Amino acid sequence: MPDNAELNAHELLLRLAGRLSDAQLWRFRDWLASGALPVLGRALPRALLHDRIGLTADEHGLLREIGADPSLTSSVLGIGAVPEPAFTFTGEAADQAASGDPVGVVLGATLRGREGLGEVRCAWRHAPGDSTHRVVLVSAVDDHHRLAGELQRMLRALGEHEPCVEVLAPDFELPPYHRAALDVSELLCFGAADLAHA
């Protein structure tokens, strides 16, 4: 695999946030973080086909670049237009307002001042007929896929079974899902990286 295959896979999974189910997304990110890129390259196109999730031309290119089966990737293109996310985001969950946010406190204490990180933010995602989910948004200089895996494992240990972790590169063009989450997110802490000059 090319050196940037993990970065391409991470970017593709970022672009699929809000379109793939949370359960699939955290599992695929966990595989990527643990070095199972070939497994991801086989499983991701099948999941997209199964759930009829269409890709843009750029996303299709990323899928091919991670080593996905060409016979499957050609089927994914043209399934349909990429929909706008059907979620709303808020800066704070209603049940957290009164009781505080112990998970946010742990995240902030663990990541404060960490090398390679910029801002660590949190938003709450709401969907009709669905429960509220925390979305953690982290700006990072490098090692994005491993950091996403690490934070997912931390959140799972803290009781979040399908963690939503978005590790963003400073130059990443944000899809609507991430822009909506960042617009209302609350700052948990700063890492040690100055991402304005990264």
Side-chain angles (χ1 to χ4, degrees):
M1 293 290 162
D3 291 341
N4 62 351
E6 287 88 359
L7 185 58
N8 289 334
H10 179 75
E11 181 178 344
L12 179 56
L13 293 177
L14 275 174
R15 293 182 180 283
L16 291 170
R19 290 155 59 196
L20 274 176
S21 72
D22 294 332
Q24 287 177 314
L25 196 56
W26 79 255
R27 187 170 295 115
F28 290 159
R29 286 181 172 156
D30 197 48
W31 291 350
L32 180 60
S34 63
L37 183 60
V39 176
L40 177 62
R42 288 190 300 273
L44 181 55
R46 287 179 171 85
L48 295 170
L49 284 169
H50 180 269
D51 293 340
R52 301 196 50 76
I53 297 172
L55 298 180
T56 66
D58 289 341
E59 292 166 348
H60 189 261
L62 290 170
L63 185 62
R64 282 193 320 270
E65 289 174 21
I66 68 171
D69 180 348
S71 66
L72 291 175
T73 59
S74 63
S75 301
V76 173
L77 188 63
I79 286 178
V82 176
E84 289 292 316
F87 302 109
T88 57
F89 290 91
T90 58
E92 184 175 55
D95 61 343
Q96 298 295 328
S99 63
D101 181 11
V103 173
V105 170
V106 171
L107 279 173
T110 304
L111 300 176
R112 183 172 290 113
R114 181 168 167 168
E115 291 297 321
L117 298 188
E119 292 183 344
V120 178
R121 304 186 72 84
C122 180
W124 296 89
R125 189 189 74 200
H126 312 276
D130 193 13
S131 58
T132 300
H133 290 275
R134 175 194 312 272
V135 178
V136 176
L137 303 126
V138 181
S139 54
V141 175
D142 58 15
D143 219 17
H144 305 95
H145 63 288
R146 287 190 184 87
L147 178 60
E150 176 187 337
L151 294 178
Q152 285 187 157
R153 288 188 294 277
M154 181 188 303
L155 287 168
R156 283 178 62 79
L158 292 168
E160 297 196 8
H161 300 293
E162 295 175 356
C164 301
V165 176
E166 306 298 325
V167 179
L168 309 170
D171 58 350
F172 180 63
E173 186 179 331
L174 295 177
Y177 178 90
H178 297 88
R179 284 196 307 270
L182 276 172
D183 283 349
V184 298
S185 64
E186 294 187 348
L187 181 69
L188 292 179
C189 69
F190 288 102
D194 179 4
L195 298 183
H197 304 294

